[in-house]
Amino acid sequence: MNRLLIVILAICSVPLYAQGAQPDAADLKAEARNAVGTIGADKHKTQTYCEILDLERQLADQEENNTKKKNKKKDKDKDKKKAEALSQKINQLQKQVGPEFVTLDNILKRLDLTSPDGREIALIIQSLNQTCPY
């Protein structure tokens, strides 16, 4: 009898656990709107967010250039140090923006751009990106 009860509880709780693990699109949209609104309402956070985007572009450009050209060891070491410095600066700035940046980053990692909801969430985040001068 106890085993049957345990099995029934386990089966009933699996859908609840699965629901908790995958936030639905409405929750992601609300999280994105909230994070974008919070960052956008604070001039300092907005400037810091834009600076992060610019540094991330610089880092991506540098990595792309490094893969295209055949550098000497000395140049590779110099490029690696520059990349590390950019990464450290980005991490510092992310802390200044606060938990909203982490929220947006987590949303972007789970985003499915092939779905209509995913594209709508991307547009919400893009609205913040468009406020950046770079």
Side-chain angles (χ1 to χ4, degrees):
M1 178 72 177
N2 285 340
R3 288 184 183 172
L4 180 61
L5 182 60
I6 292 171
V7 169
I8 291 172
L9 286 174
I11 291 171
C12 292
S13 64
V14 168
L16 294 175
Y17 176 76
Q19 286 176 349
Q22 288 285 359
D24 67 354
D27 289 342
L28 289 177
K29 288 178 194 176
E31 287 180 30
R33 282 189 191 102
N34 185 36
V36 167
T38 301
I39 294 170
D42 183 322
K43 185 176 181 178
H44 177 70
K45 283 187 178 192
T46 302
Q47 289 174 338
T48 305
Y49 178 83
C50 291
E51 191 174 343
I52 291 169
L53 293 183
D54 184 49
L55 291 172
E56 286 178 341
R57 278 190 213 107
Q58 289 178 34
L59 186 60
D61 289 347
Q62 181 181 358
E63 289 173 357
E64 184 180 330
N65 289 337
N66 289 344
T67 58
K68 286 182 180 179
K69 60 184 180 179
K70 307 276 192 239
N71 288 342
K72 297 177 184 175
K73 182 170 175 21
K74 182 179 178 182
D75 290 339
K76 285 184 181 182
D77 290 342
K78 187 171 128 180
D79 290 342
K80 184 177 178 181
K81 287 180 183 179
K82 185 175 179 183
E84 288 174 2
L86 285 171
S87 293
Q88 287 177 354
K89 180 69 174 170
I90 290 168
N91 289 336
Q92 291 171 350
L93 293 173
Q94 288 172 349
K95 291 175 187 173
Q96 290 178 19
V97 174
E100 297 84 13
F101 187 88
V102 175
T103 299
L104 291 178
D105 193 42
N106 289 336
I107 290 170
L108 287 170
K109 288 177 183 173
R110 297 182 293 202
L111 202 58
D112 176 14
L113 292 174
T114 62
S115 74
D117 289 326
R119 288 190 296 272
E120 185 178 342
I121 293 167
L123 287 173
I124 293 167
I125 297 170
Q126 184 63 25
S127 69
L128 179 61
N129 295 355
Q130 289 175 342
T131 64
C132 298
Y134 328 109

